[in-house]
Amino acid sequence: MNFKKIGLTLLVGMGALSLIACGNTNEDVSEKPSEKKSITVFAAASMTDVMEELKEIYIKDQPGIDILYNFDSSGTLKTQIEEGAEVDIFISAAQKQMNELDKGHEAYNNKVSIDPSSRFDLLENKVTLVVSGENPNGLSDFKDLASDKVESLALGNEDVPVGQYSLEILNNLGIYEKVMPKVSLGSNVREVATWVNEGAVDAGIIYATDAKIFGLEVVDQAGEEELDTRVIYPAARLENSPNKDEADKFLEFLKTKKASEIFEKYGFSPIK
């Protein structure tokens, strides 16, 4: 028996198997899916439900993208951005907070800035007076807040846009002094809506969209007599966004007809 020939054959066979194994390893590496890119969106608390639905629609068409949200009052979000939070997009429930991050605006007072060229007005909302249940106290308009019909009222605090709109209403109607002793202040519009929904207060001033989501009864909606300011939600990309292209693409999606239909479903009015 030729042992040398057998040994050589075995060595050749083992070498071939080794090459095949290496080839399979390389093939597996090449077929591994790439990691998703994430964009971080800071948005007003009143947008929570609609933005979650829009995310589901968007990532189906953009499987390589994930969207991370942070929902809170616009004032709190602005402060977090000022303090260095890594953010791609900011959507505020009022112009004030956006202006203070816009280096092209006279109100700008920060080191951090949005990209002014990316800024646009996305949505409009309405401010409403709401109660829970069947309106047992018989409220019919904002002026009733100064009457004995109301013992407790929930408002957003002063750094929350809905709170700023609420104070403007009370001042314009001349009932601020009578109403404020009855007031409990919430950290954002969802907290105010929750207090009304749970019956912790007699009434609250919140956005029409939140009234719809919580199923609260709207007894009055602010018009020109009560509110001088339109409730506009501006959106923009941060200048130091780490994902500028992806952020710009998502902002463009928010302007589409498909997105507008979803916004309208939740009670927002897209700005054309």
Side-chain angles (χ1 to χ4, degrees), residues 129 140-147 173 175 179 220 225-226:
L129 174 62
S140 60
D141 60 44
F142 285 101
K143 293 177 182 178
D144 285 339
L145 296 176
S147 72
L173 293 177
I175 60 175
V179 171
D220 199 6
E225 179 188 2
E226 296 90 3

Side-chain angles (χ1 to χ4, degrees), residues 39-109:
I39 57 175
T40 302
V41 180
F42 277 28
S46 53
M47 303 186 73
T48 302
D49 301 86
V50 68
M51 293 301 287
E52 290 289 2
E53 182 166 343
L54 286 169
K55 171 182 174 177
E56 294 304 313
I57 294 170
Y58 188 74
I59 62 178
K60 284 181 181 178
D61 294 334
Q62 304 290 333
I65 296 293
D66 193 16
I67 301 172
L68 306 178
Y69 286 130
N70 180 25
F71 297 108
D72 211 321
S73 74
S74 300
T76 297
L77 297 175
K78 181 185 79 80
T79 298
Q80 292 173 353
I81 292 171
E82 290 171 335
E83 293 175 349
E86 191 172 277
V87 185
D88 295 297
I89 292 170
F90 179 40
I91 308 176
S92 172
Q95 301 287 10
K96 179 179 184 292
Q97 289 75 20
M98 190 68 78
N99 291 342
E100 292 172 355
L101 293 175
D102 188 343
K103 64 183 180 181
H105 194 279
E106 60 183 9
Y108 175 68
N109 58 7

Side-chain angles (χ1 to χ4, degrees), residues 10-171:
L10 287 171
L11 286 172
V12 171
M14 290 173 66
L17 288 171
S18 177
L19 287 172
I20 292 170
C22 290
N24 287 340
T25 300
N26 290 338
E27 184 178 348
D28 290 341
V29 170
S30 66
E31 289 180 355
K32 284 185 178 179
S34 59
E35 292 185 3
K36 287 185 176 182
K37 294 199 73 171
S38 297
I39 57 175
T40 302
V41 180
F42 277 28
S46 53
M47 303 186 73
T48 302
D49 301 86
V50 68
M51 293 301 287
E52 290 289 2
E53 182 166 343
L54 286 169
K55 171 182 174 177
E56 294 304 313
I57 294 170
Y58 188 74
I59 62 178
K60 284 181 181 178
D61 294 334
Q62 304 290 333
I65 296 293
D66 193 16
I67 301 172
L68 306 178
Y69 286 130
N70 180 25
F71 297 108
D72 211 321
S73 74
S74 300
T76 297
L77 297 175
K78 181 185 79 80
T79 298
Q80 292 173 353
I81 292 171
E82 290 171 335
E83 293 175 349
E86 191 172 277
V87 185
D88 295 297
I89 292 170
F90 179 40
I91 308 176
S92 172
Q95 301 287 10
K96 179 179 184 292
Q97 289 75 20
M98 190 68 78
N99 291 342
E100 292 172 355
L101 293 175
D102 188 343
K103 64 183 180 181
H105 194 279
E106 60 183 9
Y108 175 68
N109 58 7
N110 288 282
K111 293 181 180 179
V112 182
S113 175
I114 62 163
D115 181 345
S117 67
S118 71
R119 178 177 177 172
F120 65 99
D121 290 339
L122 175 62
L123 302 167
E124 183 171 6
N125 210 338
K126 299 296 181 182
V127 179
T128 61
L129 174 62
V130 297
V131 296
S132 63
E134 298 180 354
N135 190 16
N137 296 334
L139 302 187
S140 60
D141 60 44
F142 285 101
K143 293 177 182 178
D144 285 339
L145 296 176
S147 72
D148 294 337
K149 293 180 179 180
V150 176
E151 293 182 0
S152 57
L153 172 69
L155 306 178
N157 64 39
E158 290 187 13
D159 72 340
V160 179
V162 75
Q164 294 159 7
Y165 296 131
S166 300
L167 294 181
E168 183 177 337
I169 290 169
L170 299 181
N171 280 310

